[in-house]
Amino acid sequence: MSAAVASMSRLHASAPLRPVRLGAFDAVLEREASGVIHIRNAQVLAPYHAKLSEPLEHWAKAAPDRVFLGQRDAEGRWRTLSYSEVLALTKRIGAALLRRGLSPERPIAIISGNDIEHALLALAAMGVGIPYAPISPAYSLLSTDFGKLRAIVGLLTPGLVFANNGGPFARAIAAAVPSEAELVVTHSPPENRKATLFADLVGAEDDAGVAAANAKITPDTIAKFLFTSGSTGNPKGVINTQRMLCSNQAMIGAGFAFVADEPPVVVDWLPWSHTFGSNHNFNMVLVNGGSLYIDDGNPTPPGVPKTARNLREIAPTIYFNVPKGYEALVPHFRADETLRKNFFSRLKVLFYAGAGLNQTTWDDLTQLAIETTGERIIFLSSLGSTETSPLALACCWDFDRPGNIGLPAPGVELKLVPNEGKLEARLRGPHITPGYWRQEQLTRDAFDAQGFYKIGDALKFADPADASKGFLFDGRIAEDYKLSTGTWVSVGPLRARFIDHFVPYVRDVVFAGPNRDDIVALVFPDVEACRKLAPEHSVDAASAAILDDVRVRLKFVSLLQALAASSPGSSTRVMRAILMAEPPSMDKGEMTDKGSINQRAVLKNRAALVDELYATPLSSLVIAIAGA
């Protein structure tokens, strides 16, 4: 351990942890003779709502004037709606939806992002038993062929499609939305397409009809369809029932007990087309009577300043983000005392998911919290997927480094099955999807003979001698492979180690090497970070020119050499790499709408570059360690 790291560790250890009430998870472990391990929580799952309309009705009565939803308007002012206002609007919209005869066979598709109208339409639909599907806007705005959007719409056969602003979505609507589906927009209807304005959905009341439809909703009623990111092909339509969503909130509450003590205040950009932003965060605010301020930013150069502006004005009590989002915010926290003081003023928890948080960002945020408040803020994380609502395992205790994903929440059964030297995780409980919409074979393949969902992740004990210390993520089973020597390469941990070692110069990496002698890498660099190594290049310079600069290449050679020196064997030693000037393509399936990499698609589409990495003599593109 370096002197700087040791000093940082001592400082962190000496600072008090800000008080926060968390649940206590106790593991009950049973081992089979076959090597299979079953783990559950000793705590019984608390009773939960039968449907999500129940907490909305409760808070509209208990705290009618409390802000539920906030969003900046065109002038930058906060537009807010209270619980009573949201309930009244959703009932009127629900009546309009019932008059249209919508159903699971003709559901609602929402192709635009997070906004108040999106939330009202979603809550209204669920309140009268009509499923809706929030679809990633990237499939409409970033795609050029609209292939995934067409596949989703074809699978859903929606009766109504909503986009907040018809202008930017016009091409996608023309390409993928059938004429028989009603189009609803908040404003700017596309030309040559009949559209209903969202304001016209807030029509005549029908309290009796809405009440009757709501009474028919059961825990098994489909609430929504969420589409997986399509890392293995076209996105799959995951059925989300009312039971899944409501039981999962009870699981979240069991670990994050403080959300029941005071209404949570959340500032969040995470998209509602994904389970983290919608089922986890949005529903947590709703169930606990909190306030959700919709963040119009994101972890991109133009988006981060917007997030910083919002956090300068609204102090969250719990903050959710992906690791790249935290990393992007650190410079803003350092530079802006007002932002820093407001952000940490009443913050109880820093929550990350979606990927592993690197140690540097963890230390930076901890240091900033201590300097600002004199206290550490606890980091928490969890494990789950679209099919698990999402939370299945959660870490609800203080841990000294990133990576602990905790233990099964109450009501969750975890089965660990030995698989090629790893422990493959499988899950069962009321939060698990019944399957994929209109995709029976995919549903059958997703479950084992005992009804456990095969999540595809490998886990390992944080402390092999003490199961109560939780689990660490040990990679995706489908990504791992063998070298020609028969040695297994565990891609997930290697990827996390590689990216952490190359901070801030690497965004992602794909490893090749099945049946080869060595591991090689296709590296997707952070071009802006690399530009700082060669500042003479203008902001308009081509990525290839920056990455070909001798200073950039020497930096990567040095870091690759250092990584190899600390790698004990062939299964963790990366011998050669090529820096990708061309970013991953969504249309080619190389990148999901969440920005994560599809390893198989990258290797397939860039097979010529993989061959170049193994060719002798080495080409000018290849960066290699000595002796490679």
Side-chain angles (χ1 to χ4, degrees), residues 32 44 111 114 184 200 245 247 289 360:
E32 297 181 5
V44 176
I111 63 174
N114 303 7
V184 177
D200 293 335
L245 305 186
S247 66
T360 301

Side-chain angles (χ1 to χ4, degrees), residues 323 355-360 402-403 473-475 479 490-503 506-511 563:
L357 183 69
N358 67 63
Q359 187 68 52
T360 301
F473 177 69
D474 199 24
E479 291 181 345
S490 183
V491 170
L494 179 60
R495 174 185 171 275
R497 179 169 170 250
F498 189 98
I499 294 173
D500 195 38
H501 180 78
F502 279 82
V503 167
V506 168
R507 287 193 174 275
D508 220 317
V509 62
V510 170
F511 299 110
L563 183 66

Side-chain angles (χ1 to χ4, degrees), residues 418-434:
N419 186 334
E420 300 289 355
K422 292 194 173 188
L423 293 172
E424 177 194 345
R426 301 182 182 183
L427 298 159
R428 191 165 66 180
H431 64 309
I432 302 293
T433 182

Side-chain angles (χ1 to χ4, degrees), residues 520-605:
V520 296
L522 299 176
V523 178
F524 293 98
D526 187 317
V527 176
E528 291 308 311
C530 292
R531 190 195 309 277
K532 294 178 182 177
L533 298 171
E536 292 84 359
H537 291 279
S538 71
V539 293
D540 299 323
S543 296
I546 296 168
L547 300 179
D548 196 45
D549 189 286
V550 65
R551 291 162 292 185
V552 174
R553 292 178 63 82
L554 285 174
K555 171 59 78 172
F556 274 85
V557 168
S558 172
L559 288 170
L560 193 64
Q561 194 76 44
L563 183 66
S566 64
S567 302
S570 61
S571 66
T572 57
R573 187 181 302 118
V574 181
M575 302 294 285
R576 292 172 293 281
I578 291 179
L579 305 183
M580 301 286 97
E582 180 185 349
S585 165
M586 179 180 295
D587 288 338
K588 292 180 181 178
E590 294 180 335
M591 179 183 70
T592 71
D593 62 308
K594 291 186 291 187
S596 53
I597 297 294
N598 179 343
Q599 176 177 283
R600 292 179 182 176
V602 170
L603 293 175
K604 177 182 177 181
N605 296 334

